[in-house]
Amino acid sequence: MSDLRRVLVLNGPNLARLGRRQPEIYGYTSYDELVDLCVGWGRDLGLEVEVRQTNHEGDLLDWLNAAADEETPVVLNAAAWTHYSYAIYDACAQLVAPLVEVHLSDPEQRPEVFRHTSVVTPHAAAVVAGYGIDGYRMALEHLAGR
Ligand code: DQA
């Protein structure tokens, strides 16, 4: 059993294509590199970080439900689901430990109006948006500092 505090970093649809998907918006770091970075940042902060990604909304709901039961802090980039999934709104509402919302880009500054709404923000202890991959480090720092 590890002494490190456990944190889940959960990523929604299309984020496995990081580095290849619209790099001018989301950057050139690959998803695998993001996983390694998050685990390393976590270790430095005394956190045991597990990073997951899914294109299937039910997976994310199951992970959030388990995080609620286990009282695990969550860093969440729900990607496009952020903007319209009331199921994710409800799943986030029941979390017990802190939730930090992360986006690589800053959705509020982007031209598509649908990106200006977040179902995650009402339940988030903090929102980090527009800092690229570094935003995940900031989110983990936030959790480590609590
Ligand atoms: C995103 C922003 C969302 O609007 C978009 O649908 C994504 C990624 C981000 O990290 O900037 O897939 O969450």
Side-chain angles (χ1 to χ4, degrees):
M1 176 83 180
S2 158
D3 287 341
L4 302 180
R5 265 199 300 153
R6 189 159 171 263
V7 171
L8 284 174
V9 176
L10 304 180
N11 294 288
N14 303 310
L15 289 171
R17 294 191 43 76
L18 270 185
R20 290 171 287 166
R21 170 197 180 207
Q22 293 182 284
E24 69 285 4
I25 296 175
Y26 299 116
Y28 288 90
T29 305
S30 71
Y31 176 74
D32 287 347
E33 288 168 331
L34 172 70
V35 172
D36 289 346
L37 284 167
C38 285
V39 170
W41 288 326
R43 201 180 303 115
D44 292 346
L45 291 164
L47 305 173
E48 183 189 316
V49 173
E50 188 181 336
V51 187
R52 301 180 191 161
Q53 187 278 332
T54 183
N55 290 332
H56 305 279
E57 192 175 357
D59 290 342
L60 183 56
L61 296 172
D62 289 346
W63 296 342
L64 289 168
N65 289 342
D69 287 342
E70 292 159 16
E71 304 191 10
T72 309
V74 173
V75 172
L76 176 61
N77 185 346
W81 293 327
T82 304
H83 310 304
Y84 66 88
S85 170
Y86 296 126
I88 287 175
Y89 174 95
D90 284 345
C92 290
Q94 54 165 352
L95 291 173
V96 181
L99 165 70
V100 180
E101 177 179 0
V102 170
H103 300 284
L104 297 150
S105 65
D106 185 352
E108 290 192 2
Q109 302 304 321
R110 292 179 60 181
E112 302 99 328
V113 172
F114 76 83
R115 293 189 205 277
H116 301 172
T117 298
S118 168
V119 301
V120 177
T121 300
H123 309 299
V127 180
V128 183
Y131 294 96
I133 296 292
D134 240 18
Y136 286 78
R137 182 179 52 74
M138 294 174 194
L140 291 170
E141 281 172 359
H142 180 91
L143 289 176
R146 287 178 72 101

